[in-house]
């Protein structure tokens, strides 16, 4: 369940973007397919999110994963190794396309992302920290970066409300409990958190969480997602450039895959 702990944060954050058309039964169903990819696309859209949009968003990748699994089982050994390597960077390209545009417009968001990345690299490369399971590392880095910037750079809101410290304890204790099992970490926050959270600190925390989580999941993992480090760097750079100019998710993902493929071809030709 450690790997799935991040979904408790994702679901609480997503709950604040749901529109009035999303019913209780919808929350149960949507939480079942609240994956990294679905969350990434959902938080990139403006609130509120309607039930029809969410069902379309969750159904499409679900069918794609099922079909992709079937095709992978049938043709996985047929595809060229360079093509398989290139496709490995696609999901990271999509994450980059989501976090870069807001970072370009907001210095605190950029600094939060960079802090999360620095912490993620520390847990990857520092011997003592590298022993921490990846699921714990993701949650620690994302929470630490989000809490830090919720304190030093709270988002501006028209209405804020002071909440007793006991409520903070209940809030974060609830997140820990929600991380107990796979489905509950997705379902409980999305079902139980129905009202708009008014507290400025928690709102700021939830604002930074998506970007921190996606940043931690992207770096440094992206540099080992392909057959070689140079091709991964090529894909990463292309994704950054296109994301900076706010190209679409599919465009950034496809271009980063193409960059990896071309880099692999060049290296094969050189060697």
């Amino acid at each position: 369940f450690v790997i799935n702990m991040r979904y408790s944060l994702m679901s609480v954050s997503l709950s604040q973007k749901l529109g009035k058309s999303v019913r209780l039964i919808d929350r149960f169903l949507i939480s079942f397919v609240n994956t990294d990819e679905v969350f990434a696309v959902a938080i990139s859209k403006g609130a509120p999110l309607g039930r029809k949009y969410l069902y379309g968003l969750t159904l499409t990748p679900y069918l794609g994963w099922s079909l992709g699994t079937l095709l992978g089982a049938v043709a996985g050994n047929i595809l060229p190794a360079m093509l398989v390597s290139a496709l490995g960077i696609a999901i990271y390209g999509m994450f980059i396309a989501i976090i870069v545009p807001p970072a370009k417009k907001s210095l605190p968001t950029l600094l939060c992302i960079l802090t999360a990345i620095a912490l993620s690299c520390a847990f990857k490369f520092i011997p003592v920290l590298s022993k921490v399971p990846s699921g714990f590392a993701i949650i620690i880095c994302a929470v630490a970066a989000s809490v830090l910037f919720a304190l030093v750079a709270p988002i501006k809101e028209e209405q804020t409300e002071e909440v007793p410290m006991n409520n903070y304890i209940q809030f974060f204790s609830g997140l820990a409990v929600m991380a107990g099992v796979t489905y509950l970490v997705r379902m409980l926050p999305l079902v139980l958190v129905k009202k708009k959270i008014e507290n400025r600190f928690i709102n700021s925390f939830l604002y930074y969480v998506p970007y921190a989580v996606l940043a931690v999941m992207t770096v440094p993992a992206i540099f080992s997602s392909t057959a070689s480090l140079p091709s991964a760097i090529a894909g990463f750079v292309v994704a950054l450039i296109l994301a900076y100019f706010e190209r679409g998710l599919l465009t950034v993902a496809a271009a980063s895959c193409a960059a990896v493929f071309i880099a692999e071809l060049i290296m094969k030709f050189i060697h």
Side-chain angles (χ1 to χ4, degrees), residues 21-242:
S21 64
V22 181
R23 304 164 300 182
L24 180 61
I25 184 63
D26 299 323
R27 292 172 181 260
F28 277 103
L29 296 174
I30 292 167
S31 62
F32 181 74
V33 286
N34 181 23
T35 61
D36 299 325
E37 297 84 356
V38 169
F39 172 75
V41 175
I43 63 101
S44 70
K45 301 295 181 181
L49 301 175
R51 58 192 296 264
K52 292 182 179 179
Y53 172 83
L54 287 167
Y55 278 125
L57 174 61
T58 56
L59 180 61
T60 303
Y62 193 86
L63 294 175
W65 294 323
S66 301
L67 180 60
T69 301
L70 176 61
L71 293 176
V74 174
N77 294 326
I78 300 176
L79 295 176
M82 286 189 296
L83 181 58
V84 174
S85 174
L87 293 175
I89 203 171
I91 184 64
Y92 301 110
M94 186 178 75
F95 289 167
I96 290 172
I98 291 170
I99 65 176
V100 169
K104 183 178 70 170
K105 300 173 184 177
S106 169
L107 180 59
T109 303
L110 172 61
L111 294 177
C112 179
I113 290 172
L114 293 177
T115 300
I117 289 175
L119 291 173
S120 178
C121 291
F123 275 90
K124 176 70 175 180
F125 298 113
I126 296 178
V128 176
L129 297 179
S130 65
K131 297 178 181 179
V132 177
S134 60
F136 272 127
I138 290 174
I139 204 77
I140 291 171
C141 295
V143 169
S146 299
V147 167
L148 173 62
F149 282 88
L151 290 171
V152 302
I155 60 174
K156 296 179 180 179
E157 291 189 329
E158 295 181 0
Q159 288 185 326
T160 58
E161 178 181 335
E162 291 297 327
V163 177
M165 182 55 68
N166 287 338
N167 286 11
Y168 290 127
I169 296 174
Q170 292 174 7
F171 175 76
F172 290 108
S173 297
L175 289 181
V177 173
M178 291 171 193
V181 292
T182 301
Y183 178 57
L184 290 182
V185 298
R186 294 174 168 88
M187 182 272 291
L188 286 180
L190 204 60
V191 170
L192 297 181
V193 184
K194 298 180 181 179
K195 295 183 179 180
K196 178 69 176 177
I197 296 175
E198 301 292 343
N199 179 262
R200 189 181 184 188
F201 170 77
I202 296 179
N203 267 330
S204 299
F205 172 77
L206 295 177
Y207 167 80
Y208 288 116
V209 158
Y211 306 113
V213 169
L214 295 180
V216 171
M217 293 176 61
T218 301
V219 180
I222 190 173
F223 297 113
S224 58
S225 64
T226 66
S228 65
L229 178 60
S231 64
I233 293 175
F236 176 68
V237 171
V238 168
L240 276 180
I241 294 173
L242 292 179

Side-chain angles (χ1 to χ4, degrees), residues 231-267:
S231 64
I233 293 175
F236 176 68
V237 171
V238 168
L240 276 180
I241 294 173
L242 292 179
Y244 181 83
F245 290 104
E246 302 185 26
R247 296 296 186 264
L249 302 186
L250 292 179
T251 300
V252 175
S256 61
C257 289
V260 170
F261 186 75
I262 293 172
E264 295 284 352
L265 278 177
I266 294 174
M267 287 188 293

